[in-house]
Amino acid sequence: MAKQLDYQTIREMFTRFEAAEAEPKGELEHTNAYTLVVAVALSAQATDAGVNKATRHLFPIADTPQKMLELGLDGVTEKIKTIGLYRNKAKNVIKMSQMLVDDYGGEVPNSRAALESLPGVGRKTANVVLNMWWGQPTQAVDTHIFRFGNRSGVAPGKDVVAVERAIEDHIPADFQLHAHHWMILHGRYVCKARKPLCGTCLVRDLCQFEDKNYD
């Protein structure tokens, strides 16, 4: 774990990220708040590409909680069977949809506590939905952010909650809205787990990672 970078270094790092891509976007395909929360819940221990492949067949026929309930457990299971842990995820999608219909009038709530009360929705999923749909500066820490935060010194922490707090505490406020997308994309495509592409990294001179790879 690298030591925490200072404010000016972090500001320079995110200034570069912003210059390279001013409006970073999440890669999960969705059409509304409901399909977003379902897609994010399905993405646990799965790739965004894999989720998108399945939901392209699911969302055109079930883009609301009521339509998902009408499709039923067997129908949902069949549509998402290419995704890891699909049986349990299908059950959660049905339970989530029922709860949204019963308790929220079929609408996705916009508070973290309410979102986390939904079956299959944890803190990370709630933060993604709050950020991507309602524009809140929440930080959804996944494996890519956890890795990059600790390697670089942007947001070191022993667990995802510690990294989330470090992001909130140390990344300048004007970068908070897009911070998690910049870090996810950087971790996914540049700061890779096994063989980081340090030679093409925008922030390699600012990063504290000791085992930089320039091959």
Side-chain angles (χ1 to χ4, degrees):
M1 184 190 302
K3 70 177 183 178
Q4 178 68 57
L5 290 173
D6 63 75
Y7 176 86
Q8 289 301 330
T9 302
I10 293 175
R11 171 163 283 285
E12 172 61 24
M13 188 175 284
F14 281 86
T15 297
R16 294 182 191 180
F17 286 147
E18 183 179 53
E21 188 168 6
E23 297 283 337
K25 304 293 183 185
E27 296 183 324
L28 285 171
E29 296 172 4
H30 61 281
T31 57
N32 54 28
Y34 174 68
T35 54
L36 177 59
V37 73
V38 170
V40 181
L42 293 177
S43 72
Q45 294 178 275
T47 65
D48 287 1
V51 172
N52 289 339
K53 184 177 179 180
T55 58
R56 284 170 195 153
H57 301 284
L58 174 65
F59 291 157
I61 58 174
D63 61 352
T64 68
Q66 187 60 51
K67 289 179 183 178
M68 196 70 75
L69 292 173
E70 290 169 1
L71 181 59
L73 178 59
D74 289 345
V76 175
T77 302
E78 177 65 24
K79 294 294 184 185
I80 68 168
K81 65 183 180 181
T82 56
I83 301 174
L85 307 174
Y86 70 96
R87 293 186 188 280
N88 190 55
K89 288 178 179 178
K91 291 176 183 177
N92 280 333
V93 167
I94 292 295
K95 290 177 183 176
M96 175 202 304
S97 301
Q98 191 67 61
M99 188 170 178
L100 288 172
V101 169
D102 292 344
D103 298 346
Y104 297 100
E107 300 294 326
V108 176
N110 64 350
S111 79
R112 180 185 282 116
L115 284 166
E116 288 189 46
S117 74
L118 299 172
V121 176
R123 186 178 183 86
K124 181 173 78 89
T125 296
N127 281 345
V128 172
V129 175
L130 291 171
N131 180 278
M132 289 181 63
W133 195 257
W134 281 288
Q136 297 185 23
T138 50
Q139 307 302 331
V141 178
D142 70 350
T143 56
H144 300 301
I145 290 179
F146 187 81
R147 179 174 64 252
F148 174 66
N150 277 289
R151 275 181 177 174
S152 65
V154 167
K158 293 183 179 179
D159 55 44
V160 293
V161 174
V163 170
E164 181 181 331
R165 288 174 178 163
I167 293 170
E168 293 172 343
D169 289 345
H170 297 286
I171 293 177
D174 49 321
F175 294 123
Q176 287 279 334
L177 179 60
H178 295 311
H180 96 271
H181 278 132
W182 280 316
M183 288 189 285
I184 285 173
L185 295 171
H186 191 71
R188 181 175 292 160
Y189 297 112
V190 181
C191 195
K192 299 179 179 182
R194 295 184 180 179
K195 193 173 182 181
L197 306 179
C198 301
T200 61
C201 176
L202 287 172
V203 297
R204 60 184 178 274
D205 57 315
L206 306 174
C207 172
Q208 294 203 40
F209 186 43
E210 293 181 354
D211 299 320
K212 289 187 175 72
N213 173 39
Y214 293 103
D215 293 343

